[in-house]
Amino acid sequence: MNQLTGACIIGQSGGPTAVINASAQGVIQTALKTPCITQVLGAAHGIKGVLEDKLYDMAQEDPAELDLMKYTPSSALGSCRYKLADPDVDDADYRRILEIFKKYDVRYFFGNDSMDTCNKISKYMQKVGYECRIMGVPKTIDNDLNGTDHCPGFASAAKYIATSCAEVWQDAHVYDTGMVTIIEIMGRHAGWLAGSAALASLTGCGPDLVYLPETDFDMDRFLSDVKAVYDKTGKCMVAVSEGIHYADGTFVSEAKTSATDGFGHAQLGGLASMLAETVKQKLGAKVRGIELSLLQRCGSHLASKTDVEEAYLAGQAAVEAAAEGFTDKMVAFQCTRDGSYECKTVLEPLDIVANFEKKVPRAWINEAGNGVTQEFIDYVLPLIQGETDAPKENALPRFARLKKVLTTSL
């Protein structure tokens, strides 16, 4: 394949994770060492930074600060939830993107999250004949991205959730009085995160019941499940996905939801408190509702070393593949778990990745729909292994401090 010389842009988008910056670090550090890439630019707040011509010159950053990105949660370059229109309906954004690409001689674009954005830009650049290699670098704690064994960010969130559930279990069992504890976990349509709460059972302190959005929720059955456990033990811990829904598709928490995000999705939340109130009224038990909320996606102090290393690898592989001539692809993971865990990167077409959700197989959920099977545990457990060597300052995490120097055209 022919060598293509020019600048690159990396943009982050969507909800942050504990390791998204490790992927960005993999892109940035690899690109800075790649001869055919003349300048490495970071988009301020994802594709909005491209549209607004707000790009950081990553070569101006202190190398030691770039090294710290792997231990820094959230999105160091800034994120956004901006959905590009269908270019056949409205191509204004795409014409602006092309203008910016030409201004800085951008020939490589790395999207660190939205495969939909990468796919649309890639197809538009091909349509107008502008040679630019587009690569997607996966990221989502939801683990619902099609075409890959798992997504960077999921494992660290899973580890945080399992650890938190085990710790809450200890606290909930302090007193000799009865109590029901309901823990709300992220996951709109896929229950990978809520299912990961079951890992806490490996410590002997796991939830009694786990509900995922892959099965329809029935309030009467839920109350019966809780009552059965509570009557037997005097305690009951429930892990529940924020996206559980009734048979007609209505979110259980929908009555509490009014706001929407940039994509028009209802912003879910308040489920734990709603279920807690329902249990209290119906069963008369003392109930505590806990919403992990943002904590589960920014808990870098509990990050999986495996997750951090694989996230960096995904960014590195994206640059190497693009330099070799590949485009219109997403870096994906292909893994084996037979005896030992092994993971390698492969490339998947953006077409089969964008806008498709990977859900927990029904066979990995128990027949009653209130727990997960051993197959689920065996899938997740290798991903949460290892502890990072994150540095500290004043006994607190030392995060990357980027200068974010805005660039000008060449």
Side-chain angles (χ1 to χ4, degrees):
M1 299 181 182
N2 67 305
Q3 186 178 72
L4 184 62
T5 300
C8 81
I9 290 177
I10 173 173
Q12 299 175 303
S13 64
T17 81
V19 304
I20 185 174
N21 289 327
S23 291
Q25 179 189 350
V27 170
I28 294 165
Q29 291 184 329
T30 306
L32 286 170
K33 296 184 292 186
T34 301
C36 62
I37 296 179
T38 57
Q39 190 176 24
V40 181
L41 305 174
H45 301 288
I47 197 62
K48 290 180 70 175
V50 179
L51 294 169
E52 297 169 4
D53 196 2
K54 296 175 68 173
L55 304 170
Y56 305 128
D57 183 354
M58 303 312 298
Q60 299 300 314
E61 299 295 343
D62 184 333
E65 296 300 324
L66 291 180
D67 284 338
L68 288 173
M69 286 181 68
K70 69 166 65 76
Y71 306 119
T72 303
S74 188
S75 302
L77 301 176
S79 187
C80 69
R81 293 190 184 276
Y82 185 87
K83 189 174 181 65
L84 292 172
D86 181 341
D88 294 329
V89 176
D90 181 0
D91 69 349
D93 280 347
Y94 300 91
R95 287 186 280 109
R96 174 58 172 168
I97 292 169
L98 178 59
E99 177 186 354
I100 296 299
F101 279 16
K102 288 181 176 179
K103 176 180 178 179
Y104 295 98
D105 190 29
V106 173
R107 297 293 174 172
Y108 298 89
F109 179 82
F110 302 99
N112 193 190
D113 180 24
S114 177
M115 298 306 113
D116 177 61
T117 296
C118 289
N119 189 42
K120 287 176 176 176
I121 294 175
S122 179
K123 299 302 185 290
Y124 181 80
M125 295 303 163
Q126 292 175 38
K127 179 181 177 181
V128 299
Y130 183 82
E131 189 173 7
C132 184
R133 295 172 186 166
I134 314 293
M135 299 293 294
V137 184
K139 173 248 62 164
T140 174
I141 66 169
D142 292 322
N143 199 42
D144 58 356
L145 202 57
N146 189 42
T148 183
D149 179 271
H150 60 280
C151 299
F154 163 65
S156 292
K159 188 172 184 176
Y160 180 93
I161 290 164
T163 302
S164 297
C165 285
E167 291 172 339
V168 169
W169 188 97
Q170 294 283 353
D171 188 278
H173 285 71
V174 167
Y175 302 109
D176 59 358
T177 54
M179 186 167 74
V180 176
T181 306
I182 300 173
I183 302 179
E184 178 183 343
I185 297 165
M186 284 181 171
R188 179 181 299 273
H189 298 301
W192 298 104
L193 291 172
S196 297
L199 292 172
S201 297
L202 299 175
T203 70
C205 310
D208 301 291
L209 302 166
V210 181
Y211 295 90
L212 315 184
E214 280 78 3
T215 59
D216 294 334
F217 184 81
D218 183 285
M219 186 65 78
D220 291 336
R221 191 183 311 136
F222 165 74
L223 292 170
S224 177
D225 289 346
V226 173
K227 186 176 187 302
V229 175
Y230 183 78
D231 287 348
K232 182 179 179 179
T233 68
K235 307 282 185 181
C236 183
M237 175 181 280
V238 181
V240 59
S241 170
E242 65 180 359
I244 57 170
H245 56 81
Y246 296 115
D248 65 359
T250 303
F251 290 118
V252 176
S253 64
E254 194 160 308
K256 284 183 165 286
T257 300
S258 58
T260 59
D261 63 18
F263 293 97
H265 301 142
Q267 290 184 346
L268 303 181
L271 176 65
S273 61
M274 187 271 277
L275 290 177
E277 183 62 29
T278 302
V279 170
K280 180 180 179 180
Q281 290 179 1
K282 297 295 183 180
L283 304 185
K286 178 182 178 180
V287 191
R288 186 181 297 276
I290 300 171
E291 184 178 348
L292 294 184
S293 189
L294 300 184
L295 295 174
Q296 60 206 297
R297 75 184 193 191
C298 61
S300 60
H301 63 290
L302 275 175
S304 153
K305 183 178 182 181
T306 297
D307 197 20
V308 171
E309 292 175 346
E310 290 180 348
Y312 186 96
L313 179 63
Q316 179 183 41
V319 176
E320 292 173 348
E324 290 173 8
F326 291 95
T327 188
D328 207 32
K329 306 286 186 183
M330 182 194 80
V331 175
F333 293 144
Q334 191 175 86
C335 306
T336 58
R337 294 173 174 79
D338 299 329
S340 62
Y341 172 75
E342 293 185 7
C343 178
K344 67 177 183 179
T345 60
V346 295
L347 301 178
E348 294 288 350
L350 286 171
D351 281 339
I352 74 165
V353 176
N355 299 317
F356 290 94
E357 289 180 311
K358 180 184 72 175
K359 299 188 177 184
V360 177
R362 182 60 182 87
W364 290 7
I365 304 171
N366 67 14
E367 186 176 350
N370 59 15
V372 298
T373 66
Q374 186 61 43
E375 286 84 357
F376 185 98
I377 301 296
D378 293 341
Y379 165 80
V380 181
L381 190 57
L383 309 182
I384 70 167
Q385 300 304 307
E387 311 300 322
T388 69
D389 298 319
K392 292 188 176 181
E393 188 175 80
N394 298 317
L396 297 171
R398 170 61 164 92
F399 297 143
R401 299 164 184 159
L402 301 184
K403 293 181 287 187
K404 298 183 179 179
V405 178
L406 290 172
T407 190
T408 56
S409 58
L410 297 174

